[in-house]
Amino acid sequence: MVVQSNIGTPIENGPRLFFLAGKFDRTYSMRILKGLSTVAARRGSPVIAFELTDGVTTFDWESWRAAFAGTFDAAAVLATGAGAVVGSENLIAKVIEPLRGTPLVTISRKIPNVPATISDSRNGIAAAVDHLVTHHGYKRIAFIKGPPGNDEAERRFEGYKEGLARNGIPFDGSLVADGAFSPVMGKKAAQLLWEERRCGFDAVIAANDSSALGAEEYLRSKRLVSGRNYALIGHADSEAARHNAVPLSTVRMKIEELGESAAHQLIEMLAGNTPADITLQSDLIIRKSCGCFNAVAQNRSDAEYDDRHAWKESVRTGMLAALGRSMLSETAIYAGLDSALTALSCGLSSDQEEKVFLEAMHAMFSAEIRSGGDITAWYQALAVISGNLSPKFFEERSMRTIERAVAQVHGYIGEKILSHQVGTGATLRTELGSIRWLTRTLNAARSEADIAAALKGGTGYLTIDSGLIARFPAPIPSSGCAETAAVIATWGNAPALPEGALPVGRIITESAAQSVLIIPLAVSGTTFGFGAFSITYRESLTYDILADAIAAALKRIAGG
C-alpha cells in the first residue's frame, strides 16, 4: 500500500518526504504517519508512504521502489514493521541501503550510522511491573509477548524481565506466552496460560493493547473480570484501551510523536545538519483494569485543613495534576471545578449542593468527550477527592455522602464510554453498509467503464470521497509494479490525467497534490494496478475491503 498524506491541501512546493512501513494499521503506523504528516504540512511538504504488505500479499519492494525514483527528497523507515516483513536480518541490505542516497531516519529501531527516533518502551513496561508489585502486591505476573524478531517487542519483554528483577521476583518462563500484537493471539495466549499451563497468575502485562484486550475477552469467558479477579496492563494507549468496558491501564507510547520527531529529523537533515537520536519517554497510564479506582472509598486522609478554602485548593491542585491527559485547558478545568469543589467542601449537606456537584462534573465530562480527550483521566482525578476525605475536616455522614456522589460520577464515566462505543459502532456500520452496496455494484461490472461508473456513483456515502484507479498494461507476477499504467476511473478531487499509458511515478507524483492512499490491487499474487484514495485516519479496514472489490472486478474483466 502506498499512502500520500498531509494535513490540509493544497500542498505547497516543500521537500517531499517518504514513509516506509511494514503494514498500515490505524492503532500504530497510521498514527505515526499522522504525526509525520502534521509536521510536513506546516512546511508545505507532501508525504508519500508505502507498506510492504497488506496482510495477505507481500509487495515486491524492488520493483515498486523503482516507481518512486525521484518522487521524494527524504525518507523515514518504520524499521520494526519493515523488518518483520523482509526479515530483521535483511532489513539493512534490502531496505536501508537502497535509501542511503537520500536523507534517511529510522523509527523504532536503531540502525548504525542512521539517525533514529525510538520509544523507551523498556522502562515503561518495567514501571508497569513496579506498579503491580508495590501498589497491589502481585508476584505472579504473566507477560504476553509481541512478534519474534520485532525490536520494539523485544524491548518490552526486556522491560518485563527488568521489572521482575528489581522487585526480587524470579523469572518464570511458564508465565510468558506469545501474543504477536494481535487480539486473536492475545486470546490464545490467555488460553494457554489459564487453561493449559494453569500457572496461577494474578496479573497480566501484554506487549500491546490489542493482545491485552484479546486476553481479556478470553478471560471474561471464564467469568474473570479485569481489575477484580486479576490485573491487566497493555501498551500503546489506543482508543480501544480508553473506551474499553473496563478502561485498560496501559503504557502510553507517544506514537504520533514518533512521526513528528522523525519529520523534524528529516527537515534538519535537509538543511544540511546531522540530527541526534531521539528517545521518547513512555508513561504508565493507570485506569481500572489493574485494580485501581474500583473502590471509591479508598485512602481516606488524616490531614487537617484550616478552612474550606484550603481544602478546596488542595484538592483542585491535586486534580489538575492528575488531569495531564485531559484535552481541556487548565483554565477551563479550574473554572469547572470551582462550583463542584465548593459544594464538596460544604460536605454536600443539601440536595442542592449534591446537584451542583453532579451537574458540574457531568458538564466537564461532556466537554472532555467533545474535545476528543481521554475521559478515563478523570478516574485519577476523582481518586484525589477520595484521598482527601479526612475525619478531621468532615463528619462521617458527610464523607459517606461524598463517597456516594463520587461513585455516581464514576457511573457517568462508564456511561460516556458506552455511548462512545455505540456511536463508533454505528458510524462503522454505516460505512460498511455503503461499502457492501458498492461491492455488489462492482461485482456486476463487466467492463472498465462499469467500474468507473460504480465508483463515481457509489462513493458519495464513504469517507473516501476522492479517488483514482490505474490499470497496468498486463498482469504482473509476484505483486510487482509495471513501469506504466492507465487511469481508468476518477472521482472527487482526484488529479486530471491524460488517457493512455503514463509512468507510474508520474501518477504517484501528481496524486501527491492531495491526501491520498495508493493501494496495489493484487489478487492471488497477480497485480492489476493500484488505487489512489483520499485518506482518513479513522478506519483503514475501509480501504482493504474496497481494494479487494476493485481487484476482483478487474480480475473478472481480464478473464483471470
Side-chain angles (χ1 to χ4, degrees):
M1 181 198 301
V2 181
V3 180
Q4 185 287 328
S5 173
N6 55 276
I7 307 299
T9 54
I11 294 294
E12 300 173 10
N13 295 320
R16 301 160 300 174
L17 309 184
F18 180 66
F19 179 55
L20 180 67
K23 183 185 186 312
F24 282 111
D25 64 89
R26 69 189 181 101
T27 61
Y28 186 55
S29 51
M30 288 289 278
R31 291 174 62 190
I32 292 175
L33 174 60
K34 183 177 182 179
L36 190 148
S37 300
T38 300
V39 175
R42 292 198 290 265
R43 311 269 309 183
S45 295
V47 178
I48 306 174
F50 185 82
E51 71 173 2
L52 296 171
T53 179
D54 60 6
V56 177
T57 302
T58 297
F59 306 121
D60 178 38
W61 169 233
E62 287 300 314
S63 60
W64 276 96
R65 180 166 58 86
F68 293 103
T71 65
F72 57 89
D73 304 300
V77 177
L78 182 52
T80 47
V85 177
V86 302
S88 183
E89 70 282 0
N90 299 321
L91 178 68
I92 294 178
K94 290 190 174 182
V95 176
I96 300 300
E97 289 300 334
L99 292 172
R100 282 192 187 270
T102 59
L104 174 67
V105 301
T106 57
I107 301 172
S108 291
R109 175 180 171 182
K110 175 61 181 174
I111 301 295
N113 302 316
V114 178
T117 291
I118 62 174
S119 176
D120 186 14
S121 299
R122 177 171 179 153
N123 283 333
I125 291 292
V129 176
D130 290 342
H131 177 77
L132 293 172
V133 174
T134 59
H135 288 264
H136 299 284
Y138 294 142
K139 303 290 185 181
R140 298 284 294 171
I141 302 172
F143 188 77
I144 299 177
K145 297 173 65 177
N150 183 298
D151 284 38
E152 185 65 49
E154 289 302 318
R155 283 198 294 272
R156 297 172 198 180
F157 185 43
E158 290 300 318
Y160 165 72
K161 292 189 287 187
E162 179 182 318
L164 294 177
R166 71 190 188 194
N167 284 283
I169 302 174
F171 174 76
D172 182 352
S174 70
L175 288 169
V176 178
D178 292 329
F181 285 169
S182 79
V184 173
M185 292 304 295
K187 190 174 181 179
K188 290 183 178 179
Q191 181 178 11
L192 175 68
L193 294 168
W194 178 258
E195 198 169 305
E196 298 181 27
R197 293 182 182 172
R198 299 180 179 272
C199 54
F201 59 83
D202 45 26
V204 177
I205 297 176
N208 79 335
D209 291 343
S210 294
S211 53
L213 296 174
E216 184 195 47
E217 181 182 353
Y218 169 78
L219 293 171
R220 192 188 309 120
S221 73
K222 300 299 178 183
R223 300 183 183 277
L224 299 174
V225 179
S226 62
R228 294 182 184 176
N229 305 112
Y230 69 100
L232 179 64
I233 296 179
H235 189 287
D237 192 24
S238 62
E239 183 177 352
R242 294 193 295 273
H243 296 105
N244 192 42
V246 180
L248 181 67
S249 296
T250 187
V251 176
R252 180 179 182 266
M253 187 179 189
K254 297 175 180 177
I255 298 176
E256 291 182 15
E257 289 91 331
L258 285 171
E260 292 172 2
S261 296
H264 286 301
Q265 287 176 311
L266 290 177
I267 290 168
E268 194 172 340
M269 294 182 77
L270 288 165
N273 302 315
T274 302
D277 292 341
I278 297 173
T279 300
L280 300 177
Q281 178 183 346
S282 295
D283 303 315
L284 180 61
I285 304 299
I286 300 302
R287 298 192 179 103
K288 282 195 167 186
S289 70
C290 66
C292 290
F293 314 133
N294 285 325
V296 175
Q298 57 181 327
N299 301 323
R300 284 183 173 183
S301 170
D302 290 326
E304 297 186 29
Y305 301 93
D306 294 334
D307 52 32
R308 292 175 181 174
H309 178 76
W311 181 89
K312 176 180 167 181
E313 289 306 308
S314 175
V315 172
R316 178 153 48 192
T317 299
M319 293 182 76
L320 285 169
L323 289 168
R325 305 196 310 275
S326 173
M327 293 295 289
L328 302 180
S329 68
E330 184 171 322
T331 301
I333 297 172
Y334 191 96
L337 288 175
D338 188 69
S339 58
L341 294 181
T342 297
L344 281 181
S345 67
C346 296
L348 301 185
S349 56
S350 68
D351 290 345
Q352 180 60 29
E353 287 177 353
E354 187 169 349
K355 180 181 179 182
V356 167
F357 169 70
L358 294 175
E359 288 182 348
M361 297 304 296
H362 192 274
M364 283 187 287
F365 294 163
S366 297
E368 189 75 69
I369 290 290
R370 287 195 301 272
S371 67
D374 180 4
I375 194 172
T376 63
W378 286 85
Y379 283 127
Q380 195 162 354
L382 292 172
V384 174
I385 296 175
S386 300
N388 280 274
L389 295 180
S390 170
K392 296 180 180 179
F393 185 70
F394 291 104
E395 296 180 354
E396 181 64 28
R397 179 179 178 181
S398 292
M399 286 196 292
R400 288 198 300 270
T401 301
I402 292 172
E403 287 169 350
R404 185 182 68 245
V406 170
Q408 190 168 343
V409 172
H410 271 246
Y412 286 169
I413 297 177
E415 290 172 7
K416 292 293 184 184
I417 291 171
L418 180 60
S419 296
H420 181 276
Q421 291 173 338
V422 171
T424 300
T427 300
L428 184 56
R429 283 193 297 273
T430 300
E431 183 88 344
L432 291 179
S434 299
I435 292 176
R436 289 191 191 100
W437 181 90
L438 184 56
T439 299
R440 288 195 297 269
T441 305
L442 287 169
N443 286 340
R446 294 294 178 267
S447 67
E448 292 181 359
D450 289 344
I451 294 176
L455 292 171
K456 288 180 180 179
T459 54
Y461 297 101
L462 300 181
T463 51
I464 303 173
D465 55 8
S466 177
L468 171 154
I469 304 298
R471 170 77 180 274
F472 291 151
I476 300 167
S478 303
S479 297
C481 176
E483 294 183 0
T484 62
V487 176
I488 65 171
T490 62
W491 70 94
N493 296 320
L497 292 168
E499 296 181 359
L502 299 171
V504 171
R506 176 182 173 183
I507 299 174
I508 293 174
T509 299
E510 296 202 22
S511 295
Q514 304 177 46
S515 295
V516 296
L517 176 80
I518 305 177
I519 308 176
L521 303 174
V523 178
S524 302
T526 300
T527 300
F528 291 93
F530 61 91
F533 308 115
S534 62
I535 186 169
T536 171
Y537 295 103
R538 184 183 59 77
E539 184 56 70
S540 56
L541 177 64
T542 303
Y543 302 113
D544 295 335
I545 297 173
L546 183 57
D548 287 346
I550 296 170
L554 286 171
K555 180 181 180 182
R556 186 173 55 256
I557 291 169

